[in-house]
């Protein structure tokens, strides 16, 4: 009789154990999932990754002694301060214009995306970057760095420079901040163009000149007064 009771208890314990193990496993799995979800939520909502300032339809007109110097326009501006690194992000692009004392445009840049690194005094522009100097010459590329401290701009990407009478293409460029004294590192070709009454250059296939054999970088007529400096 005692043996039967003992066997009966063993059977009951085994039944309980069979039920408890799946429940315990499910509980552990549920807890692990919840913990991972919490970590993901924490990572997604980390204050270090969120902007401390957000502005839409942002416009800023900077003046010096009553004279307009800069104009900045952007659909959205985000300000970040991560581990002491402060920067502005323009996820929907920007337009930046610099003026001289007579309020003539000396330099403008437009891009679909940009960043301004405050302490480093550098700008980074990406995607459909267009720079125009005071002569109306334009530079087109997909990536550009503007170094305010050294007053230079440069890129390692493909570039196209359009002037009144020619289009110059190549890879890599360094220039002064006004895009007046520039140098293409690896020039690819020059296309001569004609100008109509609206001053819109148009390529002429009969005058197209391929210059793949160029061995020297293409430069503007006047070289920079001081050598360009980069970090």
């Amino acid at each position: 009789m005692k043996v039967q009771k003992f066997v009966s208890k063993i059977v009951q314990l085994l039944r309980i154990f069979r039920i408890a193990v799946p429940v315990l496993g499910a509980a552990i799995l549920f807890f692990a999932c919840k913990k991972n979800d919490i970590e993901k939520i924490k990572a997604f909502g980390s204050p270090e990754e969120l902007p401390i300032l957000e502005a839409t339809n942002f416009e800023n007109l900077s003046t010096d002694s009553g004279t307009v110097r800069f104009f900045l326009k952007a659909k959205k501006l985000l300000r970040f301060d991560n581990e002491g690194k402060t920067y502005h992000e323009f996820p929907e692009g920007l337009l930046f214009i610099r003026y001289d004392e007579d309020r003539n445009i000396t330099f403008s840049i437009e891009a679909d995306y940009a960043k301004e690194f405050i302490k480093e005094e550098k700008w980074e522009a990406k995607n459909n970057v267009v720079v125009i100097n005071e002569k109306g010459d334009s530079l087109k590329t997909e990536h550009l760095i503007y170094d305010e401290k050294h007053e230079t701009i440069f890129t390692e990407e493909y570039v196209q420079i359009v002037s009144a009478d020619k289009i110059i293409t190549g890879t890599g460029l360094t220039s002064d901040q006004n895009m007046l004294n520039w140098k293409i590192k690896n020039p690819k070709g020059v296309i001569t163009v004609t100008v109509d009454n609206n001053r819109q250059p148009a390529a002429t296939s009969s005058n197209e000149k391929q210059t793949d054999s160029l061995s020297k970088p293409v430069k503007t007529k006047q070289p920079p007064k001081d050598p360009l400096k980069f970090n």
Side-chain angles (χ1 to χ4, degrees):
M1 192 71 178
K2 291 181 178 181
V3 174
Q4 291 178 350
K5 289 182 178 181
F6 178 76
V7 172
S8 177
K9 288 182 178 181
I10 293 297
V11 172
Q12 290 178 358
L13 288 174
L14 289 174
R15 287 176 179 175
I16 294 172
F17 181 75
R18 287 176 182 176
I19 297 172
V21 169
V23 172
L24 180 61
I28 292 173
L29 180 61
F30 177 78
F31 176 76
C33 290
K34 284 295 183 182
K35 185 176 180 181
N36 290 336
D37 290 343
I38 291 172
E39 292 299 325
K40 289 179 180 179
I41 292 171
K42 285 182 177 180
F44 180 77
S46 174
E48 295 181 354
E49 298 181 3
L50 298 177
I52 61 175
L53 175 68
E54 180 175 346
T56 56
N57 297 322
F58 177 81
E59 291 187 5
N60 181 37
L61 191 65
S62 177
T63 61
D64 182 12
S65 301
T67 302
V68 177
R69 292 297 188 184
F70 306 101
F71 174 71
L72 176 64
K73 181 178 180 180
K75 291 182 179 179
K76 180 179 288 187
L77 180 150
L78 304 175
R79 183 181 178 92
F80 293 86
D81 191 358
N82 298 336
E83 298 179 354
K85 295 182 179 180
T86 305
Y87 63 91
H88 292 144
E89 183 178 12
F90 305 88
E92 298 182 23
L94 61 69
L95 170 63
F96 175 81
I97 302 174
R98 185 170 59 240
Y99 300 90
D100 62 13
E101 295 180 354
D102 298 322
R103 204 168 179 175
N104 297 315
I105 296 176
T106 60
F107 174 88
S108 70
I109 180 170
E110 191 170 5
D112 291 344
Y113 176 88
K115 277 185 178 181
E116 178 192 9
F117 300 92
I118 308 300
K119 294 181 180 180
E120 293 82 357
E121 297 184 36
K122 287 185 178 181
W123 291 73
E124 179 184 21
K126 294 181 179 180
N127 306 332
N128 297 318
V129 183
V130 179
V131 177
I132 301 177
N133 64 17
E134 62 184 24
K135 297 190 299 182
D137 299 338
S138 63
L139 161 68
K140 298 180 180 180
T141 186
E142 290 300 308
H143 184 255
L144 193 72
I145 299 294
Y146 170 35
D147 189 334
E148 289 186 278
K149 185 183 297 184
H150 298 97
E151 299 183 347
T152 56
I153 60 177
F154 58 92
T155 180
E156 299 297 331
E157 301 296 323
Y158 174 83
V159 296
Q160 181 186 75
I161 296 179
V162 181
S163 63
D165 58 351
K166 59 182 174 293
I167 299 174
I168 305 173
T169 61
T171 304
L173 174 139
T174 60
S175 173
D176 66 332
Q177 65 177 356
N178 295 319
M179 258 302 293
L180 293 175
N181 302 300
W182 47 264
K183 178 177 70 176
I184 294 180
K185 294 182 178 179
N186 300 299
K188 299 297 182 182
V190 178
I191 302 174
T192 58
V193 298
T194 57
V195 182
D196 60 20
N197 294 331
N198 295 323
R199 295 187 61 80
Q200 295 294 328
T204 56
S205 56
S206 60
N207 293 331
E208 183 174 346
K209 298 179 181 179
Q210 297 298 333
T211 56
D212 293 337
S213 60
L214 288 176
S215 59
K216 296 182 180 180
V218 178
K219 300 182 180 180
T220 50
K221 294 181 179 179
Q222 297 180 352
K225 294 181 180 179
D226 300 317
L228 301 178
K229 299 178 181 178
F230 301 96
N231 288 340

